[in-house]
């Protein structure tokens, strides 16, 4: 009998727990706001938010942030080293890299276009915004001032660092781009070193990547509690407008993902891979279901490898390389999602991002597609870093992370189908496209 209890307990999946945390936090926050005298302005509520809800929510965010530097470094170096090695081997790598950049660029472009058009975060009133971000902005401004004082040797064009360790030190407050640049060059150099001599460093960095992923997993265990408090604070400072804004955001993300999946991919499949897109999607059915249910490109890799070869009929040489590298290095869905989320939260916080800042976000989101781990919630560390870079309160992550699972499931489908699409395109460019007779399943 005692065996059934833990088994039953284990059954509630982590994402459901996070969702429950979100619901309870939202309900408790809304109730606190409406039953306390003077609502949001109530001193006891303010004190509770400052002394309890904020630190207990921050624990979750900080558990994620502390892994950003090793995670990003190891993921980028691994990804770039693999692409670099492949480029050495032949044109396959270069073609895959080029397609990755083009497809990710289109994905982020769709996301940014959509969020500028719909402006889901703009419906928040100034008073609500002030209540939510009151204590945060002052702190943020203070931190930024400290960073400015520290950055006495600014990176060239804001990208090429003199001292990467210093940039790692301020990764969460603006140093992330130069730090990523360092990781890119490190990965390229690693690929250029003789394989036997590079092996110890490669193995170490691969190990570092696995450990960092585990740390994110640990943080996700605390997520239900962290999300409860983050959402409590948001809900007790915001009104119904926030719910409408988040609803619009969810619909926008899903619509943009659908556009990329059912318009961009088919165009590339038809004209570059020379394949029938409808049939291609049918062949990928199993991959789509696995990616959707696991929310993890890495976990879907074995299925993707088999399907690419046996169902889609791609040559093993091309597909095994493109898919293995692509599981971490090509994440169209994630890049699109990150672009939308950052702009949405900026609108939510009332932070105005001009065109050139949006272009920087586009570049960062494309790089983030390479530097994001293919695990559930892998996108969040990078989102936190980009938010901090633009002075958007990272606590706002609490507004959306509770409903992330469904978005994560959907973007992971695009990540994996994008890998197979690229493999099909590369194979098509190499003359391996399969002409499929019309109307045949
Ligand atoms: N879950 C995604 C993947 O594995 C990563 C993310 O966007 O969070 O592809």
């Amino acid at each position: 009998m005692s065996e059934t209890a833990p088994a039953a307990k284990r059954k509630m999946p982590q994402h459901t727990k996070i969702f429950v945390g979100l619901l309870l936090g939202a309900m408790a926050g809304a109730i606190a706001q409406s039953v306390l005298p003077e609502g949001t302005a109530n001193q006891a509520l303010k004190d509770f938010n400052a002394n309890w809800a904020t630190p207990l929510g921050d624990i979750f965010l900080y558990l994620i942030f502390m892994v950003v530097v090793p995670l990003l470094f190891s993921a980028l170096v691994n990804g770039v080293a693999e692409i670099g090695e492949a480029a050495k081997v032949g044109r396959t790598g270069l073609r895959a890299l080029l397609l990755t950049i083009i497809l990710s660029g289109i994905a982020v472009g769709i996301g940014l276009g959509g969020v500028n058009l719909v402006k889901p975060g703009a419906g928040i009133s100034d008073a609500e915004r002030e209540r939510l971000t009151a204590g945060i902005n002052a702190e943020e401004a203070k931190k930024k001032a400290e960073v400015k004082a520290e950055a006495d040797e600014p990176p060239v064009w804001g990208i090429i660092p003199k001292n990467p360790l210093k940039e790692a030190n301020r990764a969460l407050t603006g140093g992330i781009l130069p730090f990523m640049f360092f990781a890119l060059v490190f990965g390229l150099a690693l690929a250029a070193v003789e394989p036997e001599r590079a092996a110890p460093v490669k193995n170490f960095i691969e190990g570092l990547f696995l450990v960092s992923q585990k740390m994110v997993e640990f943080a996700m265990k605390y997520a239900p509690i962290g999300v409860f408090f983050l959402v409590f604070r948001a809900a007790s400072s915001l009104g119904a407008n926030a719910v409408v804004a988040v609803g619009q955001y969810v619909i926008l993300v899903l619509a943009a993902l659908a556009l990329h999946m059912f318009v961009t991919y088919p165009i590339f499949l038809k004209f570059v891979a020379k394949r029938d897109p409808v049939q291609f999607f049918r062949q990928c059915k199993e991959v789509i279901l696995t990616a959707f249910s696991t929310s993890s490109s890495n976990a879907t890799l074995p299925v993707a490898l088999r399907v690419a070869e046996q169902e889609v009929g791609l040559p093993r040489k091309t597909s095994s390389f493109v898919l293995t590298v692509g599981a971490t290095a090509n994440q169209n869905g994630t890049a699109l999602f990150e672009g939308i989320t950052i702009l949405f939260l900026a609108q939510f916080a009332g932070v105005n991002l001009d065109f050139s800042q949006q272009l920087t976000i586009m570049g960062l989101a494309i790089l983030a597609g390479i530097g994001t781990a293919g695990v559930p919630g892998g996108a969040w560390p990078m989102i936190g870093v980009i938010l901090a870079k633009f002075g958007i309160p990272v606590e706002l992550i609490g507004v959306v992370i509770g409903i992330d699972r469904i978005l994560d499931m959907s973007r992971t489908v695009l990540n994996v189908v994008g890998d197979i699409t690229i493999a099909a395109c590369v194979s098509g460019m190499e003359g391996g496209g399969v002409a499929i007779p019309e109307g045949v399943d």
Side-chain angles (χ1 to χ4, degrees), residues 273-284:
K274 314 259 184 316
R275 278 167 181 274
D276 173 4
V278 176
Q279 175 147 30
F280 176 86
F281 285 131
R282 268 194 212 139
Q283 290 162 335
C284 289

Side-chain angles (χ1 to χ4, degrees), residues 289-304:
L289 288 174
T290 313
F292 192 73
S293 49
T294 59
S295 269
S296 165
S297 306
N298 288 357
T300 312
L301 183 59
V303 180

Side-chain angles (χ1 to χ4, degrees), residues 291 294-300 326-328 330-331 333-335 337-338 372-381 383 404-405 407-409 411-416 419:
T294 59
S295 269
S296 165
S297 306
N298 288 357
T300 312
T328 23
N330 173 53
Q331 301 199 340
T334 296
F337 169 76
E338 289 180 352
T372 293
V375 295
W380 289 102
I383 289 177
D404 182 48
R405 183 63 178 202
L407 304 179
D408 197 359
M409 291 160 88
R411 66 184 182 257
T412 305
V413 169
L414 266 82
N415 291 345
V416 183
D419 295 338

Side-chain angles (χ1 to χ4, degrees), residues 1-245:
M1 247 180 78
S2 56
E3 274 169 15
T4 53
K9 229 179 163 188
R10 234 180 288 135
K11 272 204 183 116
M12 188 191 280
Q14 192 60 11
H15 56 89
T16 310
K17 287 189 196 158
I18 300 177
F19 186 65
V20 171
L22 166 99
L23 276 187
L24 293 180
M27 274 157 46
I31 292 171
Q33 194 201 93
S34 54
V35 301
L36 289 173
E38 300 152 67
T40 315
N42 183 285
Q43 193 54 41
L45 180 59
K46 276 187 176 170
D47 289 347
F48 178 79
N49 276 342
N51 300 330
W52 294 101
T54 301
L56 287 169
D58 279 354
I59 289 179
F60 168 56
L61 296 177
Y62 286 23
L63 283 174
I64 290 206
F65 288 153
M66 67 186 187
V67 78
V68 158
V69 168
L71 178 68
L72 209 71
F73 179 74
S74 53
L76 263 181
V77 171
N78 272 339
V80 174
E82 275 165 36
I83 295 175
E85 266 161 30
K88 264 197 318 197
V89 175
R91 268 180 298 184
T92 305
L94 279 179
R95 284 177 167 149
L97 174 64
L98 200 68
L99 283 163
T100 297
I101 294 173
I102 295 175
L103 277 173
S104 305
I106 296 175
V108 185
I110 291 176
L112 294 187
V115 81
N116 275 305
L117 208 71
V118 180
K119 293 200 184 1
I124 305 297
S125 74
D126 285 348
E128 281 177 311
R129 183 171 292 143
E130 230 166 75
R131 282 203 300 271
L132 182 70
T133 54
I136 302 168
N137 276 345
E139 229 176 78
E140 207 56 45
K142 210 176 91 208
K143 262 195 242 152
K144 270 207 195 144
E146 280 164 12
V147 171
K148 278 227 174 75
E150 218 183 281
D152 46 358
E153 290 165 322
V156 179
W157 299 323
I159 294 176
I160 305 163
K162 181 174 185 185
N163 181 350
L165 290 182
K166 213 170 182 178
E167 304 306 333
N169 218 2
R170 51 182 212 107
L172 297 173
T173 45
I176 199 65
L177 198 53
F179 182 67
M180 284 168 105
F181 179 84
F182 170 71
L184 283 178
V185 178
F186 193 99
L188 285 175
L190 189 61
V193 171
E194 244 176 83
E196 306 87 68
R197 313 200 86 188
V201 179
K202 268 201 93 179
N203 289 341
F204 172 75
I205 292 175
E206 269 164 28
L208 185 64
F209 181 57
L210 293 178
V211 173
S212 308
Q213 273 185 336
K214 241 322 158 235
M215 285 174 76
V216 173
E217 228 179 280
F218 289 165
M220 292 316 277
K221 293 222 182 318
Y222 178 73
I225 300 173
V227 165
F228 172 88
F229 286 105
L230 287 170
V231 172
F232 176 88
R233 206 190 77 165
S236 62
S237 329
L238 284 166
N241 283 345
V243 180
V244 175

